[in-house]
Amino acid sequence: MPVAAETLLRNTIDAPTDVPRHRSERHTVDGVRIHCRTWLGPHGDHLPAVVMLHGIGIASRINEPSARILARIRHVYAPDLPGFGKSQGSDAVSIEDYADVLDQWMAVRGLSDAVVTGVSVGAQIAAAVAQHYPGRCRDLVLASPTVQESRRSWLRQLAIAPVEVSMHTGRMRVIQTSDFARAGLPRLRRTFSSALKDRLEDRMPEIRQPALVCWGNRDPMLTRSWVTSLVDALPRGRLAALPGVRHAMTHEDPLPFCRATLHVLSLSR
Amino acid sequence: MARVKNSVVVVTGASSGIGRATALAFADAGGTVVITARSEHALEEVAQQCRERGADVLVLPADVTDAAAVEQIARETAGRFGRIDTWVNNAGVTLFGRIEEAPVRSWHRVIETNVFGTYHGLRAVIPWMREQGSGVIVNVSSVVGKLPTPLVSSYTASKYAVRALSDCARQELLDVPGIAVCTVLPGPIDTPLFDHGANYSGWRPKPLKPVIAAERVAATIVSCAAKPQDEAFVGASSGMVLGFRRAAPGFAARAAAAQVPKDHFTAEPVGGSDGNLFQPADSTGSISGGWTRSSKKTSLDDPKTASESGSERSRLRRGMAVAALVSAAGAGLGGAIRARANR
């Protein structure tokens, strides 16, 4: 049955578009209540689940449009990291801290051997999960992976950020405003400081799983040469250069992101 | 060209002629280009030219008569680039010869490539475009898709069918306003088709005059992608000939039957051949067939100068004036005869 499902449901057009609404789940991990939006797709029991990680400030709602598409084929879990969205705050602020929390949360939730995706800073956390907890991650998808080596300073990031924000849709701005307020400035500052210190390129050679790097050519935060260097450093890396796609692709351009992800998953088996 | 920049375009039959010029035109306009044809080595050369223009390009060799292979092109394109914005059904072959003299399998093969190929393209791309709610499908027909032409019956029939397929697809897609289906109807074009085509006529064929550069068709296809229209003619002669046919259909048919055998062939005798019907041409392909003066002195990389020469334009203007007079006379004569008959 799993073989049949993977053979038939290779990409977005192969499954009906009606997907049940997500449900909110809360699990306690090391004394912290972690919130997760969960979509249980009709075929999900036969295929590896997808865990989608958000970036800084904007919590799991950034992944909602993509999750709804992926859930046509697989179960999708989009947790809020500690201190973001509807999850409780904790002492975790670094990329490694968040990876540790996710490992524990996946253990509590009974998730292993999943497809782990992350967008922006979420991609840094996803890469850390794949590196340190390979049993949790069978395929890795890095969407708009930050922070580009040549732009690793507050000044440079603050200079580019307005360009990126100007490309956001109205709905994205609404989510961003409310999620920024929930996270609070101190957590945002400390988490982003940690993201700036994280050397994603150094993790790449350690990641043994098949990995897809998705980059939109309208992303002002990242250049093609940066994502190409990441793919070159990955033992089993692939690049999806997506025309017309923006930085926050899981929310703003969900269909190209999902098609590229499902395509690579269908090839990696 | 806002709609073309950052778009993903699939071009079938991209190894030579109109398809090759179209791939390069989309690359120039900032598109990501997926090129397909049977000949991989010819495609690799086109891909290199696209890359030199700064475009991302994917080479997917396939025969459009194979439905599964065409479906795989759509799947691979959507999977690699996340979208399919424009799909150009261009792959086409031809056959010169009388209906009763050309081999059956050759006649069938022209229909399989030109009609089934277009159908396979439509069938492959529509689900992806429906899902994304947008896209432009460009089907390359021909002016002979509206004008019966002797000695190229299979090609003419196929181009009528391509036009009909376009019309049907447009009707079926009315429920998705973001998808457009365009039919491009070029007149005689300077491509290698005349040398690559199957030929059982006994004589070496040549394009009817005035001959238009393939780059002009490519420019029309790109403009259809940016601003779709149901039907787009390329070359003033197409409109002129069709107007002539509307005004005096019987006379036009007899004139074509008399002129085409004279004007469509050189005096050079050749033996029967299936050309590129069943095997792709050996060469790495080219845009031009060398039928215009400008093509002989123009670099392929310079589409702007690869258009008609001034003398060709003046000949075209003279031809149009004569045809307009003949049309008017034909229409007047027809009207007088009808009026007399009704009396």
Side-chain angles (χ1 to χ4, degrees):
Chain A
M1 187 63 187
V3 174
E6 289 204 38
T7 308
L8 296 172
L9 304 171
R10 288 182 290 162
N11 215 314
T12 51
I13 62 161
D14 300 325
T17 53
D18 50 327
V19 170
R21 237 184 94 75
H22 78 268
R23 64 183 194 219
S24 277
E25 293 179 344
R26 285 181 173 80
H27 291 89
T28 304
V29 177
D30 206 13
V32 177
R33 294 283 279 174
I34 299 293
H35 170 257
C36 176
R37 288 163 205 273
T38 301
W39 287 260
L40 297 178
H43 309 283
D45 289 343
H46 310 296
L47 292 165
V50 180
V51 175
M52 304 189 78
L53 307 181
H54 62 78
I56 278 197
I58 310 166
S60 57
R61 281 188 290 178
I62 196 175
N63 289 319
E64 196 169 340
S66 292
R68 276 204 300 263
I69 297 170
L70 295 173
R72 294 178 199 168
I73 296 177
R74 293 160 187 263
H75 293 331
V76 182
Y77 302 87
D80 289 330
L81 293 167
F84 293 97
K86 294 181 180 174
S87 288
Q88 277 184 332
S90 75
D91 295 337
V93 285
S94 73
I95 300 298
E96 310 288 343
D97 292 344
Y98 289 126
D100 294 343
V101 171
L102 273 161
D103 168 56
Q104 293 171 49
W105 171 77
M106 287 177 80
V108 170
R109 189 62 192 75
L111 291 169
S112 59
D113 219 20
V115 178
V116 180
T117 81
V119 60
S120 193
V121 172
Q124 292 175 259
I125 301 166
V129 171
Q131 180 192 3
H132 297 308
Y133 305 103
R136 298 275 173 231
C137 173
R138 63 184 273 157
D139 289 279
L140 177 67
V141 181
L142 307 176
S144 313
T146 49
V147 177
Q148 182 161 331
E149 192 180 12
S150 58
R151 298 173 175 179
R152 224 166 255 163
S153 78
W154 275 98
L155 202 62
R156 286 204 175 91
Q157 291 298 311
L158 288 173
I160 307 166
V163 183
E164 200 274 315
V165 170
S166 71
M167 299 167 110
H168 288 178
T169 54
R171 181 168 162 68
M172 178 82 177
R173 284 168 207 259
V174 170
I175 296 172
Q176 193 173 37
T177 307
S178 66
D179 281 1
F180 261 63
R182 274 185 190 160
L185 210 54
R187 174 166 291 275
L188 292 174
R189 189 185 58 75
R190 284 187 296 159
T191 303
F192 195 62
S193 286
S194 164
L196 284 175
K197 287 182 197 126
D198 179 54
R199 292 179 59 83
L200 183 62
E201 64 276 19
D202 292 347
R203 291 190 201 282
M204 298 292 100
E206 310 296 323
I207 292 169
R208 300 292 156 196
Q209 299 90 329
L212 171 69
V213 177
C214 294
W215 170 74
N217 74 351
R218 287 179 65 206
D219 184 347
M221 311 284 286
L222 311 172
T223 62
R224 187 174 188 138
S225 60
W226 160 247
V227 289
T228 304
S229 72
L230 293 178
V231 172
D232 290 345
L234 281 160
R236 298 170 72 188
R238 271 174 174 268
L239 174 66
L242 305 172
V245 168
R246 293 157 283 187
H247 184 73
M249 62 174 73
T250 58
H251 189 277
E252 306 292 68
D253 302 290
L255 194 56
F257 166 74
C258 293
R259 284 176 174 178
T261 298
L262 290 172
H263 181 66
V264 166
L265 293 179
S266 76
L267 298 178
S268 72
R269 295 284 75 84
Chain B
M1 292 293 170
R3 195 166 171 165
V4 176
K5 192 176 180 199
N6 287 332
S7 68
V8 178
V9 184
V10 179
V11 183
T12 70
S15 57
S16 66
I18 294 170
R20 190 171 181 135
T22 302
L24 299 184
F26 275 110
D28 278 333
T32 294
V33 189
V34 178
I35 49 177
T36 182
R38 291 171 298 176
S39 169
E40 187 167 3
H41 69 292
L43 288 177
E44 286 299 344
E45 195 175 278
V46 183
Q48 186 53 37
Q49 290 175 324
C50 290
R51 286 189 198 103
E52 284 163 10
R53 287 160 163 80
D56 268 349
V57 59
L58 178 63
V59 173
L60 297 174
D63 185 336
V64 292
T65 61
D66 181 348
V70 178
E71 196 183 317
Q72 190 54 34
I73 290 167
R75 189 171 284 277
E76 191 74 22
T77 303
R80 289 284 286 270
F81 302 114
R83 58 210 287 158
I84 307 173
D85 297 294
T86 303
W87 182 288
V88 184
N89 280 313
N90 164 73
V93 290
T94 192
L95 162 64
F96 298 93
R98 294 186 180 280
I99 291 170
E100 72 277 18
E101 288 172 359
V104 170
R105 64 194 283 265
S106 309
W107 208 99
H108 285 188
R109 180 69 178 175
V110 173
I111 300 296
E112 282 167 8
T113 305
N114 299 6
V115 184
F116 292 6
T118 301
Y119 157 67
H120 294 156
L122 286 163
R123 194 172 190 281
V125 76
I126 285 173
W128 299 98
M129 287 189 173
R130 269 191 181 281
E131 186 186 38
Q132 64 199 27
S134 65
V136 179
I137 302 169
V138 181
N139 294 328
V140 179
S141 175
S142 163
V143 68
V144 304
K146 288 200 171 199
L147 190 74
T149 310
L151 300 174
V152 279
S153 57
S154 56
Y155 185 75
T156 302
S158 75
K159 293 304 181 181
Y160 264 79
V162 166
R163 202 162 53 78
L165 258 174
S166 285
D167 293 343
C168 296
R170 197 177 301 118
Q171 288 175 319
E172 288 187 16
L173 289 164
L174 280 176
D175 59 324
V176 192
I179 304 179
V181 182
C182 308
T183 312
V184 171
L185 299 111
I189 307 297
D190 176 15
T191 72
L193 185 78
F194 304 92
D195 285 331
H196 289 173
N199 185 5
Y200 289 92
S201 70
W203 306 99
R204 188 186 173 207
K206 63 177 182 178
L208 294 163
K209 286 184 176 173
V211 186
I212 301 162
E215 285 85 350
R216 281 187 60 193
V217 188
T220 303
I221 292 171
V222 174
S223 75
C224 279
K227 196 177 173 190
Q229 48 185 311
D230 289 355
E231 288 193 342
F233 291 94
V234 189
S237 64
S238 309
M240 181 188 84
V241 170
L242 291 172
F244 181 30
R245 185 176 177 242
R246 260 198 301 276
F251 181 69
R254 280 193 295 279
Q259 281 308 115
V260 167
K262 290 181 198 162
D263 295 347
H264 217 338
F265 297 90
T266 64
E268 184 186 336
V270 288
S273 150
D274 273 329
N276 69 347
L277 289 192
F278 299 97
Q279 294 293 329
D282 289 334
S283 67
T284 53
S286 64
I287 291 175
S288 165
W291 297 106
T292 56
R293 284 185 199 173
S294 52
S295 69
K296 286 166 190 149
K297 62 187 176 189
T298 304
S299 158
L300 295 178
D301 295 333
D302 187 5
K304 280 179 194 149
T305 53
S307 57
E308 299 161 353
S309 67
S311 62
E312 280 165 330
R313 268 198 294 274
S314 64
R315 275 204 302 278
L316 176 65
R317 273 196 293 273
R318 277 202 303 275
M320 284 175 72
V322 170
L325 280 172
V326 171
S327 303
L333 194 63
I337 291 166
R338 273 196 295 276
R340 205 168 162 180
N342 290 340
R343 240 185 263 151

